[in-house]
Amino acid sequence: MRKTVSQLTDFLALSRANPLSLSPFSEPLKAGGELQVWDTGVICIEPAEPASRDLVLSCGIHGNETAPIELCERLLKAIISGELICRQRVLLIFGNLPAINLGVRQVEENLNRLFSGAHRQGERLNQERSRAALLEQYVTRFYGARANTERLHYDLHTAIRSSRYEKFAIYPYLSDTPYARSQLAFLQHSAIDTVLLAQAPANTFSCYSAHQHGAHALTIELGQVQPFGHNEATRVAQLEHNLCRLLDTPHWQAPACDFEQLRIYKVAQEITKQSEQFCFHFSDDVSNFTTFSPTTLLATDGTHQWHVGEEPEAVVFPNADIALGHRAALMVVRTTFKAHQLD
Ligand SMILES: [Zn+2]
């Protein structure tokens, strides 16, 4: 049976009602081109004459991170109604629908640790692993549809805890590839003025797009987790405004980045939970980017201890409630870009 446009106007509701899969269908776009539903939570916007950017926009990779889900829903509704004329190809992804329905971060496993083939490792099979494999296929299909475009991927999240800097981005490890001034400018102009440079490859969604597809990819944290309906849209208004410009104005660029006003951090050490004896030596409710002075004892796990090194370190994503062998916290230090690290 052919689905009607009215079902598409609430694509998230349709996806939530079919959390494990949805048969593909497509509908014409008011402004010309097509809306293609590829699966539950996966919709491709194909303008008739797309400009040169291919943007993957993902949210809900963690099911309880509602602010980005609401933002993506607003963008999609604006595109469907014709209020926003989308001139770029966009793959919009609502990541983990069973977790969204349950209002939880994950059902069985952290989806954002299962990319770049990690979903194939070990014997386990679960909904999150199947979803990671499918999302990789959809991103491959999307970017693979044409060559010589600017590939972008913004993976939107919110953090479990409060943060000294409300919004921040994680720039995947790039080895010898320089950091893109255009992306740093986009972040700064979107009121995201703290950037954390990963120092090693990870199994995150943004890292996958950066490494497998050469995309400018970022994990973007937009504040603290809240239930649906409790997010203030004004807090993400600048990012939302810039995403609209990126979509409706073919060669739009954010004004140049003022590096003096950008806080750059790099990872100094990772704290990994090795046994059930693991514990932090700071309060459970510290904010992200809380800074500790040199030599402070941070955590213990049996006889193993983690201390701050020779310069002050700030903590990001501390979480003792994770699986053994997983990262319990990142410790980061301030840094600056050297000229050769920027394009
Ligand atoms: Zn998240």
Side-chain angles (χ1 to χ4, degrees), residues 66-339:
T66 57
I69 298 171
E70 291 175 351
L71 188 163
C72 289
E73 227 196 337
R74 287 194 295 274
L75 286 178
L76 181 59
K77 286 187 169 168
I79 292 168
I80 290 173
S81 72
E83 188 190 322
L84 175 65
I85 307 294
C86 185
R87 295 187 168 88
Q88 313 281 1
R89 294 179 68 239
V90 181
L91 186 66
L92 191 61
I93 295 172
F94 298 93
N96 193 339
L97 290 146
I100 292 173
N101 281 347
L102 292 168
V104 295
R105 180 174 171 83
Q106 63 198 57
V107 179
E108 289 190 52
E109 252 187 295
N110 182 350
L111 179 53
N112 210 23
R113 297 283 177 280
L114 291 173
F115 291 93
S116 299
H119 54 83
R120 281 191 298 271
Q121 286 161 15
E123 299 288 296
R124 277 178 90 173
L125 247 190
N126 56 40
Q127 175 273 131
E128 270 116 358
R129 288 184 170 230
S130 323
R131 185 67 168 169
L134 284 170
L135 293 181
E136 288 185 357
Q137 287 173 25
Y138 297 140
V139 169
T140 302
R141 173 176 160 192
F142 177 72
Y143 286 137
R146 57 185 192 153
N148 303 319
T149 59
E150 184 181 48
R151 295 176 174 180
L152 302 170
H153 181 178
Y154 301 135
D155 184 31
L156 309 181
H157 289 253
T158 49
I160 295 169
R161 56 190 60 240
S162 63
S163 178
R164 252 179 93 188
Y165 311 121
E166 188 193 42
K167 295 188 264 291
F168 59 98
I170 300 150
Y171 213 127
Y173 175 66
L174 295 179
S175 187
D176 292 332
T177 312
Y179 297 100
R181 289 174 195 268
S182 62
Q183 299 308 307
L184 297 165
F186 178 82
L187 290 172
Q188 187 171 52
H189 199 56
S190 305
I192 300 159
D193 47 20
T194 303
V195 180
L196 171 53
L197 309 177
Q199 301 296 298
N203 298 322
T204 60
F205 202 9
S206 64
C207 200
Y208 165 77
S209 292
H211 290 194
Q212 295 297 312
H213 301 288
H216 292 300
L218 295 162
T219 303
I220 301 181
E221 298 282 347
L222 294 173
Q224 201 173 356
V225 164
Q226 302 288 348
F228 276 118
H230 289 75
N231 300 295
E232 292 170 50
T234 50
R235 287 177 178 258
V236 295
Q238 279 167 276
L239 173 64
E240 193 163 343
H241 176 87
N242 288 343
L243 287 171
C244 291
R245 293 301 75 75
L246 205 55
L247 298 186
D248 71 6
T249 310
H251 301 290
W252 180 82
Q253 293 281 3
C257 184
D258 174 3
F259 285 95
E260 294 288 305
Q261 301 299 321
L262 201 62
R263 272 179 227 103
I264 313 292
Y265 284 89
K266 67 175 181 182
V267 177
Q269 57 174 331
E270 278 196 29
I271 297 177
T272 309
K273 179 176 177 177
Q274 290 153 355
S275 79
E276 292 304 337
Q277 291 172 279
F278 179 87
C279 70
F280 286 121
H281 283 245
F282 47 77
S283 149
D284 251 7
D285 56 359
V286 296
S287 300
N288 280 325
F289 295 101
T290 299
T291 304
F292 298 94
S293 34
T295 74
T296 305
L297 177 64
L298 297 165
T300 52
D301 196 345
T303 55
H304 197 98
Q305 298 187 331
W306 287 267
H307 290 90
V308 175
E310 286 172 7
E311 49 181 319
E313 292 178 13
V315 66
V316 187
F317 303 130
N319 185 5
D321 183 23
I322 42 140
L324 298 185
H326 280 238
R327 182 188 78 200
L330 278 178
M331 300 307 300
V332 301
V333 289
R334 284 293 291 267
T335 187
T336 49
F337 287 116
K338 293 169 189 68

Side-chain angles (χ1 to χ4, degrees), residues 1-10 14 25-27:
M1 192 185 77
R2 191 175 161 81
K3 305 265 192 329
T4 63
V5 175
S6 64
Q7 273 182 285
L8 250 187
T9 57
D10 206 341
L14 180 65
F25 65 95
S26 57
E27 291 289 344

